[in-house]
Amino acid sequence: MIFIKGIWLQNCAGAKVANNSVFNSTENEDLNFRGLDIETSADCFLNCNTINKIGVGINIFDNCGTTKLRSNTPE
């Protein structure tokens, strides 16, 4: 199975992802499309992102301790 990602962080401790618009431009709302995909990235800040027409808006996997989400909006 292939997962398409909008913004993918892997092993990115302390990353800041803010003020992005991630959207699926096709008519198909593919359940495999991931807007923000965070893997093994502790202490990240995901702030004020807009996620539109995406199967999995935000996916957080593995060790992402103390990663913070604030004002992320699905549309």
Side-chain angles (χ1 to χ4, degrees):
M1 182 176 291
I2 297 173
F3 290 101
I4 301 168
K5 298 165 179 61
I7 296 174
W8 179 29
L9 300 178
Q10 185 177 34
N11 299 315
C12 296
K16 293 181 173 91
V17 179
N19 299 316
N20 295 286
S21 180
V22 180
F23 63 94
N24 181 357
S25 62
T26 69
E27 294 297 320
N28 181 15
E29 291 190 37
D30 188 345
L31 295 178
N32 294 321
F33 191 96
R34 297 176 179 186
L36 301 174
D37 201 3
I38 315 302
E39 181 179 337
T40 316
S41 297
D43 305 318
C44 295
F45 297 92
L46 308 175
N47 299 316
C48 304
N49 297 289
T50 302
I51 303 161
N52 192 346
K53 289 178 52 180
I54 297 189
V56 178
I58 299 173
N59 182 60
I60 298 176
F61 180 75
D62 212 2
N63 182 15
C64 293
T66 68
T67 288
K68 295 169 184 64
L69 303 171
R70 185 182 72 84
S71 298
N72 295 288
T73 308
E75 291 187 355

